Amino acid sequence: MFLLCSDCPESPLPFVELSALTNFTFLTGASHPEEMILRATEMDMPALAVADVNSVAGIVRAHTKARELARDGGPKIRLIPAARIILTDGFQVTVLPRNRAAWGRLCRLLSLGRLRAAKGDCTLHLPDLLQWGEGMEMLLLPHGQRLTLADVGTTAEPRLWQSHARQLAKRFPGQVSLAMAPRYDGQDATRFESLTRHAKALNIPTVATGLPFLHHGKRRRLADVLTAIRLGVPVDKLGRRALPNNEGRLRSHTEMLRIFAGHEAAVHRAGEIAARATFSLDELQYEYPSEVTGGESAAQRLARLAEAGLHWRYPEGPPDRVRAQMAHELALISKLRYEPYFLTVHDIVDFARKRGILCQGRGSAANSVVCYALGVTSVSPEIGTMVFERFISEARNEPPDIDVDFEHERREEVIQHIYEKYGRHRAGLCATVIHYRGKRAVREVGRAMGLSEDTLAAMSSQIWGWGGPGGVTETRLKEIGLDPTDRRLRQTMALIDEIQGFPRHLSQHVGGFIITEGRLDELCPVENATMEDRTVIPWDKDDIDTLKILKVDILALGMLSCIRKAFDLLDKHHHQHFTLATLPPEDPETYRMLCRADSLGVFQVESRAQMNFLPRMKPKCFYDLVIQVAIIRPGPIQGDMVHPFLRRRNGQEKVSFPSDELGRVLGKTLGVPLFQEQAMQIAIVGAGFTPDEADRLRRSLATFKKHGSVSEFHDRFIGGMLAKGYDADFARRCFAQIEGFGSYGFPESHAASFALLVYASAWIKRHHPGIFACALLNSQPMGFYAPAQIVRDAREHGVTVLPPCIQTSHWDNRMEWLDRPDRDPGKPPELALRLGFRQVRGIAEEEARWITGARGNGYQTVEDVWRRAGVAPATLTRLAEADAFAALGLSRRDALWSAEALAAGAPLPLFAGDMDGEGITEPAIAFREMTMGEAVVEDYVAMRLTLRSHPMALLRPALDAA
């Protein structure tokens, strides 16, 4: 706690910067919040206020860095949460909440402005500030003050500024100060004197601030590049909009006293204000919705639902081990008071189930009997080998994280249900920070530096994946014909490396929901997303993890849509009712199909890499699928673990363990680490990491794409394993695998949940290939393969596929019983796949539904369709191009001729009426029949697939002759 200057006049408080702008004022600030904190500690600053424009998006990162420094024995510094409020009329004020209540009011203020405007904007007026400003320190920024030292932006009119300042000073006595900031233009001394007189007239004190937007002067060039990107002009044409110098950097106590000579009291007053602004983000006490209903406590309700679910999952009674495990889990959940969280997830899943929306929990929740009993997951925990403490751990003191996948076409129903149940003031999606990486950095920085578009295209083509600093080497530049010694190109490459990892804008998380008992907009601001009817908070998943805020991931998965549609078709045509949990287990025919790599369309194992691995893996049981899902990933591949595992599985190499300790970790995978959890256990058991260090390593894996921080553990990991006597090559391969997990790795629990969907989709494909193809086509776009490949694969599996037909097709592809005249009387009718209108390019779903709705007993002519369905002639033309009128006895060309005759518009005057002596009956037209090649080409143009000959079959005679 600081002492006030009035209490100790001989020891004035050290200077504290109260309005530091970071790069979370996007494309303006040129330093990370963490860099501002580090620089402030180098200057022995006791605290720092991060104040971005109408935003608190970056403050959690600054807070985290301050905590890390204190944890590691470094200098202690306190983050002061703040925001630089800019009203629509240009008036600026930096606000610093004194306490938790004031923080809540600041969040309400920012939410008000953000929800009034489109994404990225904020609309605030003076009455809003007057209403919500209680309990905040207010630093009025003088008229003419801009965000940086550059001549960019607009400010309030002088008279308007005076009026606003008087109203705020009168409304909030003792809270308002006039900020004095240098502009380094030779007029600062005169300006400070003028501002001091203004402050006296308003009866408010002055306070010194540097308004830094750089942590160090070396960032000046990057700041100009950011301005150029924001304004859409090259750096060469910025003019006065470029920075005149690099003085807009964070300043020390000594520097501020020199700059404000004669106004030293204003410098010391900054420390006094910092002492009054005592609010810390550590005070945010997140409260999950109580989920109390009907006088039943959350604990009682969870126990009741879990017990009922256990009998639902085990109709003949649960095994003793399962019942004991559930008792253990409920006790731990109760001890950590997480019952409401599980009830919320249950209610969401229950809503989806009642709506017929297929869903499945994944991740560490797959280790939980309670989640299995509640219907959140469909994988029995008995199958896995992980323990519940991987999901919830008293030692880690971390909130649980349940990911639930829903059908991708119907997830929005679930999202809107959450908003309706809890209200938008209590529920919102996490943000995702979009960072500069690889190709985006090359394109935007290169464009700002004036490089040509063809040069930028060539440079970005040299970047693979996410890129990173040094992604385009001098050798690569020479290969594409550029001179690495060119001065402008060197500057550009340096700036590209420097901007890597900079935030560019906020987007919405794929589905991470924050739900609160009280008002969410008093915990953090809420704003509009780009997508309609979505609201988000400004913090990402790492920020809320830091603050120990629970989230529920409401995710979308296309394969769930496909499986649900397949289940519906099985119920309709075969009267077989299945769920993910009731499919026939361990079907040998399904595994034999996978061993043949016959997996086109099957979830997770349809890529060429997976198809190549399946015959070598030869999966024979469910756990083999768990390994199959996890092994073809950058982690095991980069760590060179794939081939050793295969050799050991096939008996070509002896199964051995580097030590007995690691044998317990690696036993289930034959001594080869394949899962993310095993990599973490190796760090603890093999390299001697403490649980806290292992947790930091785990977190660095989750943020690798943003920060690339895994490698900082290299020396600690290798040294630890060598110290314990492990082979250096094994240690290096283990760490390489950990780095691979940073790019993309699979925990065992995720793999188990996904393996169930692998099995389900493979089982349907093996036993009902037509239904599988139909469901897959109706769920497009998804997966690796185009409709043409899906249709061809179905036909190769003996499925009869019928073309789109104006008389029988609907919007979706359908299964229909086909009773062929040549059918053996002893055999049942054949179930054929009828292509729907969705496969025809350019047909809208609404138009297709008008056609099917007006069809009745069938259509007679093209004109009949037009008159009864009321669809546009252009739609009929597209159907004719797809040969959909063949059932009317019309060839493609005949149907096209009829459709074109229906072109909209009044007849020309010359031909509006009959003319004497002229024939009024148009003669019949006979078109030449299309050749097979022409028909195939037209099929691909209209539908991107053909049911006729394969294109190569038409060329085969010419190729054979050659």
Side-chain angles (χ1 to χ4, degrees), residues 880-921:
E881 290 170 345
D883 204 14
F885 293 100
L888 302 184
L890 295 175
S891 68
R892 183 182 258 126
R893 283 174 172 158
D894 289 333
L896 269 172
W897 181 260
S898 298
E900 292 292 347
L902 301 174
L908 295 173
L910 181 62
F911 305 102
D914 294 339
M915 292 182 291
D916 291 339
E918 297 292 333
I920 60 173
T921 302

Side-chain angles (χ1 to χ4, degrees), residues 286-289 422 425-427 514-520 523:
Y286 171 72
E287 201 173 349
Y288 203 78
Y422 296 99
H425 64 290
R426 294 176 59 199
I514 307 300
I515 308 172
T516 58
E517 173 70 9
R519 295 191 67 102
L520 176 62
L523 182 73

